[in-house]
Amino acid sequence: MTNISAVTVEPPRGRAGWRSMLPRWSPKLGVGLVLIALITFIGVIGPLLVGDPNTIRDISLTPPSGDFWLGTTWTGQDVVAQLAHATRGSLYIGLMVGVMATFLSALFGIVGAYVGGYVDEGFNLFSNVMLVIPGLPLVIVISAFVPADQRGMWTIAVVLAITGWAASARVLRAQTLSLRNRDYVAAARVSGEKSWRVITVEILPNLLPLLASQFVFSVIYAILSEAGLSFLGLGASNSSTLGTMLYYAQNSFALQRQAWWWFVPPGMIIALFGCGLALINFSIDEIINPKLRDIPRRVKAAVTRKPEPAPRTDDDVVLTVNDLSVVYQVENPVHAVKDVSITLRRGEILGLAGESGCGKTTLAYAINRLHRPPAEVTTGSVTFHDREGGDVDVLALTPGELRAFRWSKLSMVFQGAMNALNPVITVRAQLDDVLTTHRPEMTKAQRKAKCEEVLKLVGVDVRRLSSFPHELSGGMRQRVMIAMALLLDPQVMIMDEPTTALDVVVQRGILREILRLRDEIGFAVLFITHDLPLLLELADRIAVMKDGEVVEYGAAQDMFEQPAHPYTRQLLDSFPSLTGERGSFVRSGEQLTPVDRSGEPTPSGGVR
Amino acid sequence: MRYYARKFGFYLVALWAALTLNFFIPRLLPGNPVDILMAKLSQRGGTVDPSARRAYELLLGTDSSESLFQQYISYLGNMFRGDLGVSVSAFPAPVSEVIAGALPWTLMLVGIATFLSFAFGIVLGTFVGWRRGTWLDGLVPATTVLAAVPYFWLALLLVALLSSAWGWFPLQGGYDILLTPGWNGEFISSAIYYGTLPALTIVISSVGGWLLGMRNMMVSATSEDYVLTAQAKGLRGSRIMIRYAARNAVLPSVAGFAISLGFVVSGAVITEQVFSYPGIGSKLLQAVQNNDYALMQGVFLVITVAVLGANLVVDLLYAVIDPRTRVSG
């Protein structure tokens, strides 16, 4: 029943990604295909090879033997012959229902969602009503009204299709709604293409994996439902399916007479066929939602990093990153961070600039050991110099020590506070659980007071504590994030693009707030952004990253007046500054000292 | 408030659709159920008085001169009064009485089994999704095999094994027939004993679906930013798993729970057939076998209303666990 949750996933492709729609090879897919091929073979070729399934002999219920591989039935019929014909019947029903149900769900799901308005409302209501009306009782009622002699394969197939399409229609509708708003579909609509053309050329190809998966579900549903109906004696008359075979076996008390060879094989074939289809569906699901792909279990590569932490060079330093390298251990390992060494002084704002994919976020996560497999720190050390004395080798902390270290010494503010806050619990609960975890000795009243204190610090109304994240504006969510980062009075705060998604006015307000809090409280900030001109205004020192390496590292003032590396100048050039005045100054500075510009834009080759 | 109004509105429409379906199915399909019923009734020595015939005609359709619309209005009237006609197979009991006797059995068995299956599936799926990349991944293909097995086939095999061969459970029935039904310890424990195997078969065959759905949502939720935030906050792993990942991942499963209730009830019909359980599903089949159309229609309606009601409850519950629905509707 995985197909009933209407989850919309963004497939990572445009309109021409045919190759990405083919399932990736995996053992699961292989086993599934072999099962399906084998059973299809039994159903298609089998009946030609075996004798008449209805021949009655006077050898009742003989066990499997050389003559009859799976023994005989109560009336001496060959079970193998019956099985071949029954498999054909079941496959036939499954195919018919699969085609009809997929067509119905496409009609109501895709067309409705595409046309929109009242048509969509109507179709959606209809699908939902069909979905909540219980299927099998309805099928039973319909089958019971049709006299047995008129109840053929087609009747059963049509009834099953009518009762089985609604869940698929819901899934397809959700996906179509999201596709409908994509740029290339909108472009096709605006340019006046006909609706049927937009649907078939622009939308349908992107829905193919989903349609395939829904088709597979319909086939499984049909074969199982038909078997159930036949078991109840309401199946298609004058037909031979695995369900009717089981019905006769059960009514002749096959199991009570120990004749397992009659009862077990039909069920096994259904189970294996369904299992094969489900395995194929896994592979299709992985196309629709790449997150579901198997993570290969990999032996941990030998880590060559030297365990000793960096010595405290002077009392002013709070964080030392020494020769840190992070590698994504995939088929062709990607060196996302290469031998980066930076130091963070108490109370300073160190800017880390670079375009997307240069490795700055990977670096930030690795400092707090938040990187996930396949990312791995291969060399280097991260040392935290506590103001209470003592150095912490962050990379050597045990899981328990790491948990205690996080947030109390070093907290983080993530990019896009949209998803950084848990959408289903209140702001209060999310602030509170930091305190219950790190400060278990605090009373409830103390925790409440602390939460209110930090909210006031960032200028958010304390009544917002009982709000849910979706009730706050983007800027307010980011302020709540900063308040949360302040809760334990950390010495370092890593801010990863904290203002990127916000409009300029809100962005200004938040930056001013960060500067003020830094002056008042005195924590150090590692501020990550792609916006170098912004850092020139905000940061004390700046490190510029490119393809995993720090290419320029120095005081903001120096970089502002004399950018040494060509890439730095390129970055300065590519952004309009927040205040036109300073931006134009940077640009004119560039003109005053012309250097050999590397010219072509740098390809982004790194991994975030 | 808008959310609740929409939900109530939807279920009213769905109820109306089910009633209408019930009205039109016998009229659109071939055969003449009223005559069959009347013949059956007189066989059993029932008095064929005009009012009984009228009730059947309203329910099942007839060639009488009355317009379809008038029949429809009178039919709806009968339904709202709870007048579902007289059962032929249990003559002279009214349909409503037959259903009332069978309903509690199904509600208890299917209700408890479904809830257990959902709970197991969610808990297992949470762990499997959270510990992705470990041996637990092997559970996923195993559960699909269970989901692809025809339910009655599995149930019959279990009966042959656990009841016939080993004698752990009774073969069939809902309680020890030597006891008189009543609210006493002996009878209740007998009902529990008789219900265990049917419940077990329901759980085994449906737990895989919940597990897989929850596992996939956990995998998606685990890569969300709020889980990363929770890790950066230094929270304990169990807390992140439950309050951050699972709390979000369970939402589609709860929404799916409502939808799947229809499937669950469908399965119950077969369960009751396998175990000769005295619930509403076996009443439905009894009605089918005896051409007792009135009882059949009544059972279908009651099942539908029960599923719709349960859906409504789940939808209201959903609004409680997902604060976003309350505003956006």
Side-chain angles (χ1 to χ4, degrees), chain B residues 23 25 45 60 88 95 97 141 144 162 182 189 194 204 211 236 255 259 264 269 277 279 289 307 319:
Chain B
F23 175 78
I25 287 173
L60 304 168
V88 173
V95 166
E97 215 167 88
T144 54
L162 299 180
S189 63
Y194 274 74
I204 289 178
L211 192 157
R236 264 177 291 277
I259 293 161
V264 169
V269 176
Y277 203 77
Q289 278 147 13
V307 168

Side-chain angles (χ1 to χ4, degrees), chain A residues 299-336:
Chain A
V299 188
K300 215 177 154 92
V303 176
T304 52
R305 78 172 198 91
K306 292 178 219 91
E308 70 266 25
R312 190 180 283 232
T313 42
D314 76 70
D315 262 357
D316 215 23
V317 177
V318 61
L319 190 74
T320 309
V321 176
N322 214 352
D323 282 337
L324 193 73
S325 292
V326 182
V327 178
Y328 283 83
Q329 303 282 12
V330 286
E331 217 163 295
N332 298 309
V334 179
H335 228 91

Side-chain angles (χ1 to χ4, degrees), chain A residues 1-2 4-7 28 121 124-125 128-138 140-147 150 167 170 220-221 224 227-229 231-232 234 243 246-247 250 255-256 263-268 270-275 278-279 282 285 289 291-295 297 365 368 370 372 402-404 406-408 410-412 414-416 419-425 429-434 436-438 468 470-471 481 484 488 608, chain B residues 6 10-11 13-14 17-18 21-22 25-26 29-31 33 60 132-138 140-141 144-145 147-153 156-157 160 164 206 209-210 212-213 215-217 219-229 231-237 239 243-245 247-248 251-253 255-260 262-267 269-270 273-274 284-285 288-289 291 293 296-297 300 303-304 307-308 311 321-324 326-327:
Chain A
M1 275 170 232
T2 48
I4 49 183
S5 51
V7 182
K28 274 187 210 159
E121 292 270 322
N124 187 34
L125 180 68
N128 283 334
V129 168
M130 285 304 286
L131 198 57
V132 288
I133 291 179
L136 190 70
L138 181 60
I140 291 175
V141 168
I142 295 179
S143 304
F145 274 114
V146 181
Q150 293 175 37
R170 257 173 78 105
I220 301 179
Y221 160 82
L224 286 174
L229 268 185
F231 171 72
L232 298 174
L234 292 169
L246 283 167
Y247 172 71
Q250 169 63 12
L255 273 178
Q256 284 86 334
F263 187 81
V264 173
M268 286 295 280
I270 297 179
L272 290 176
F273 192 73
C275 183
L279 287 174
F282 278 147
D285 277 349
N289 184 0
K291 279 179 189 170
L292 295 177
R293 283 181 187 159
D294 279 343
I295 312 174
R297 275 185 244 173
Y365 287 4
N368 203 8
L370 278 174
R372 291 173 174 178
L402 181 65
R403 274 203 303 276
R406 284 176 178 170
W407 221 257
S408 58
L410 185 156
S411 63
M412 300 183 81
F414 290 97
Q415 58 185 353
N419 282 324
L421 293 170
N422 187 346
V424 293
I425 57 179
Q430 300 186 55
L431 292 175
D432 201 51
D433 64 6
V434 171
T436 47
T437 305
H438 290 277
F468 287 96
H470 69 272
E471 295 164 341
M481 238 357 257
M484 196 189 294
L488 301 177
R608 199 179 78 134
Chain B
R6 274 180 74 107
F10 169 72
Y11 286 108
V13 171
L21 206 60
N22 210 22
I25 287 173
L29 294 172
L60 304 168
R132 192 152 79 111
T134 64
W135 62 272
L136 281 171
D137 280 356
V140 174
T144 54
V145 179
V149 170
Y151 164 76
F152 64 92
W153 182 78
L156 284 169
L157 280 182
S164 303
S206 59
W210 299 120
L212 191 64
R215 179 255 178 197
N216 284 353
M217 288 315 296
V219 167
S220 299
T222 306
S223 59
E224 290 286 350
D225 286 346
Y226 48 79
V227 171
L228 193 73
T229 309
Q231 279 166 342
K233 277 155 81 173
L235 304 184
R236 264 177 291 277
R239 193 186 189 98
R243 279 193 59 164
Y244 286 77
R247 180 71 175 73
N248 279 285
L251 297 175
S253 289
F257 186 75
I259 293 161
S260 75
F263 296 93
V264 169
V265 172
S266 306
V269 176
I270 298 180
Q273 169 76 353
V274 169
L284 178 60
L285 292 170
V288 168
Q289 278 147 13
N291 290 333
Y293 297 111
M296 191 169 82
Q297 299 275 77
F300 172 68
I303 290 179
T304 307
V307 168
L308 293 182
N311 262 307
I321 61 172
D322 188 350
R324 285 165 296 184
R326 290 193 290 254
V327 259

Side-chain angles (χ1 to χ4, degrees), chain B residues 78-141:
Chain B
N78 267 4
M79 291 299 119
F80 278 111
R81 280 194 302 275
D83 181 1
L84 301 166
V86 174
S87 164
V88 173
S89 55
F91 189 79
V95 166
S96 47
E97 215 167 88
V98 176
I99 292 175
L103 196 57
W105 290 98
T106 303
L107 284 183
M108 290 303 277
L109 174 68
V110 176
I112 292 174
T114 306
F115 179 77
L116 284 180
S117 165
F118 180 75
F120 280 140
I122 293 304
V123 171
L124 287 174
T126 302
F127 276 103
V128 175
W130 185 246
R131 301 229 166 275
R132 192 152 79 111
T134 64
W135 62 272
L136 281 171
D137 280 356
L139 273 180
V140 174

Side-chain angles (χ1 to χ4, degrees), chain A residues 219-456:
Chain A
V219 173
I220 301 179
Y221 160 82
I223 292 180
L224 286 174
S225 303
E226 191 279 331
L229 268 185
S230 296
F231 171 72
L232 298 174
L234 292 169
S237 51
N238 299 323
S239 72
S240 143
T241 66
L242 294 166
T244 52
M245 208 176 153
L246 283 167
Y247 172 71
Y248 287 120
Q250 169 63 12
N251 279 10
S252 308
F253 302 101
L255 273 178
Q256 284 86 334
R257 295 184 163 117
Q258 314 277 322
W260 55 267
W261 56 85
W262 187 11
F263 187 81
V264 173
M268 286 295 280
I269 289 199
I270 297 179
L272 290 176
F273 192 73
C275 183
L277 288 178
L279 287 174
I280 292 176
N281 232 355
F282 278 147
S283 303
I284 302 175
D285 277 349
E286 286 169 8
I287 309 172
I288 301 168
N289 184 0
K291 279 179 189 170
L292 295 177
R293 283 181 187 159
D294 279 343
I295 312 174
R297 275 185 244 173
R298 198 179 36 79
V299 188
K300 215 177 154 92
V303 176
T304 52
R305 78 172 198 91
K306 292 178 219 91
E308 70 266 25
R312 190 180 283 232
T313 42
D314 76 70
D315 262 357
D316 215 23
V317 177
V318 61
L319 190 74
T320 309
V321 176
N322 214 352
D323 282 337
L324 193 73
S325 292
V326 182
V327 178
Y328 283 83
Q329 303 282 12
V330 286
E331 217 163 295
N332 298 309
V334 179
H335 228 91
V337 175
K338 294 174 194 155
D339 300 324
V340 168
S341 299
I342 48 174
T343 54
L344 185 61
R345 295 191 196 122
R346 276 178 215 291
E348 88 167 335
I349 296 183
L350 173 63
L352 189 59
E355 60 199 2
S356 355
C358 74
K360 54 191 195 298
T361 298
T362 305
L363 172 63
Y365 287 4
I367 288 174
N368 203 8
R369 281 173 59 187
L370 278 174
H371 57 286
R372 291 173 174 178
E376 208 172 79
V377 174
T378 50
T379 62
S381 66
V382 176
T383 315
F384 175 80
H385 313 284
D386 207 330
R387 74 182 153 219
E388 278 96 47
D391 292 344
V392 179
D393 181 0
V394 178
L395 299 183
L397 292 175
T398 64
E401 291 166 349
L402 181 65
R403 274 203 303 276
F405 169 79
R406 284 176 178 170
W407 221 257
S408 58
K409 305 292 181 197
L410 185 156
S411 63
M412 300 183 81
V413 176
F414 290 97
Q415 58 185 353
M418 188 72 198
N419 282 324
L421 293 170
N422 187 346
V424 293
I425 57 179
T426 58
V427 169
R428 182 199 313 277
Q430 300 186 55
L431 292 175
D432 201 51
D433 64 6
V434 171
L435 295 174
T436 47
T437 305
H438 290 277
R439 305 276 187 270
E441 71 283 356
M442 282 174 83
T443 64
K444 202 174 169 199
Q446 285 172 322
R447 291 202 302 269
K448 181 166 182 277
K450 183 73 192 175
C451 291
E452 287 177 354
E453 179 196 326
V454 289
L455 274 198
K456 277 183 204 140

